[in-house]
Amino acid sequence: MVMRSSRFVHPVGDAVDDAPGPARAIAAAGEAAGASLLALAGPVLAVYFASPDQAVGLWGAIQFGLGAWLLAHGVTLTVSIGVFSLAPLLATALVITTGTWAASRLCSWLPRDPGPRWAWAGGLRRDVALEGLAFIGCYLTLGILACALVRTDTMRASVAHGLVGFTAVGALSYLGGLLVEFRSDIGDVADRCRPLDWVPRWAFGGARAGLRSLAGLLTVSVVAVIVLVALRYSQITQLYHELSPGLAGGTVLTGLQLLYLPNAAVWTLSWISGPGFGIGADSTITLTRSTPGLLPLIPALGILPEPGELPLLARALPLLPMLGGVAMDRDLARRCHVGWRRHAHGLLVGSVVAATGAVLVGMISSGSLGGGQLSYVGVQPLLLGICVGAEISIGAVLSQLVRMVHQGPADTSTDAGHSPRPRPQDAPVPSAGLNHRPVRRLRPMSTATRHTPTTPAGRPHTPPAPTPEIPRPPDNYDR
């Protein structure tokens, strides 16, 4: 078997080099699950062995590590104090990255010859489909097994959420591995499935610009969280002194807080755009007022502002999403040269895509951290999407109006069905320089002066019609 690329090495040993593709996919899924589980549960076991008080027991520490791994896949955990459903997004990104790494090394063994294809599935390569199903199925099986192990009197895992979470992570990992390996040749995986060919150029450019604008806002939010940590460092260290977790416990506590850094970035984006967020049932932090309420003793929560009114300068923060709309307009204008009408349609598509993405990240970054006061932590996803989409739209429209004032509203769209307006036939061609004389367009020759080829008998010559060829599908398509 010939590898597609020499950049990757097979994920397992030489024992399965000659094994069928599904067998290698099962081994790769096991490697992905084992690597991510070791990365998340390893520190928990290290603290257990380093702590002198081992009242929890080894099996309890293993269950706690499995619970952290399940929580990263979106599995809800029910414990004695309540329900834990707030997934650490950095841990989720870790498991997806690990799965993509293993899947890319699996896909590097796909042969250059595509082999049989499934015509009913858009020309999908059969080997890619079989390996993908084996990879996702094995990953899902391991996840359900972990959910079954975490079912004791003190902790229970939701199997229904495990079905959804592990299927989604396995599918995203395998698709990511295909993209890493095939890159620009990803269309060869299913050569008859071209959904982007039906999408107008301005719509695709607008969607891409909207995603980039949302990604830029999330990056700004991450930077804002880091700045707040630096400004409130004294309050955070004071909470550490009150807890006194020790060296090993402090390291694990800091690592757990870092896993929720993307969640904090989404909450900061909600605060910047206007809706705000809450850490518990009676907690509300907006641009005008801070009401933290009763908070758990978590050092990272020291970055929250003090209760009371916030400065007037905070009310200007919604200008940042508007600047994201300006960036979206400039990005679309630079990458997609269409008329102002199609450009406006592209900005509308980008705003809708950015709002939808904000709703999705708001949903996955919110949840519960137990019962009672912490029954819901996070943002209101729908309100976040509406505010982000509206503010990005305002900034994009203002930016387009400014450009139209400077450049003019001439519509030069070249999309399908929107060709440039034709000039009159007698209009001269625009001059290319000072010494260039305009050239008059020639009128078309009349039908009376055209020469018609004839046969020796004087009859008009009619060329024979070409014989149509009946297209035949390739031999490697399964009907």
Side-chain angles (χ1 to χ4, degrees), residues 20 56 99 122 187 199 241 329 391 409 444 455:
V56 179
V199 179
H241 287 305
D329 170 69
E391 292 164 1
T455 60

Side-chain angles (χ1 to χ4, degrees), residues 211-229:
L211 288 177
R212 289 179 176 176
S213 178
L214 180 61
L217 291 176
L218 290 174
T219 303
V220 171
S221 300
V222 171
V223 175
V225 172
I226 296 175
V227 171
L228 288 175
V229 169

Side-chain angles (χ1 to χ4, degrees), residues 4 117 124-125 128 174-191 193-194:
R4 279 186 49 85
R117 294 179 180 268
L124 178 64
R125 290 180 52 167
V128 172
Y174 190 71
L175 290 177
L178 288 175
L179 288 173
V180 169
E181 176 58 30
F182 284 87
R183 297 187 179 183
S184 60
D185 299 332
I186 190 64
D188 296 340
V189 175
D191 57 356
C193 183
R194 305 279 182 177

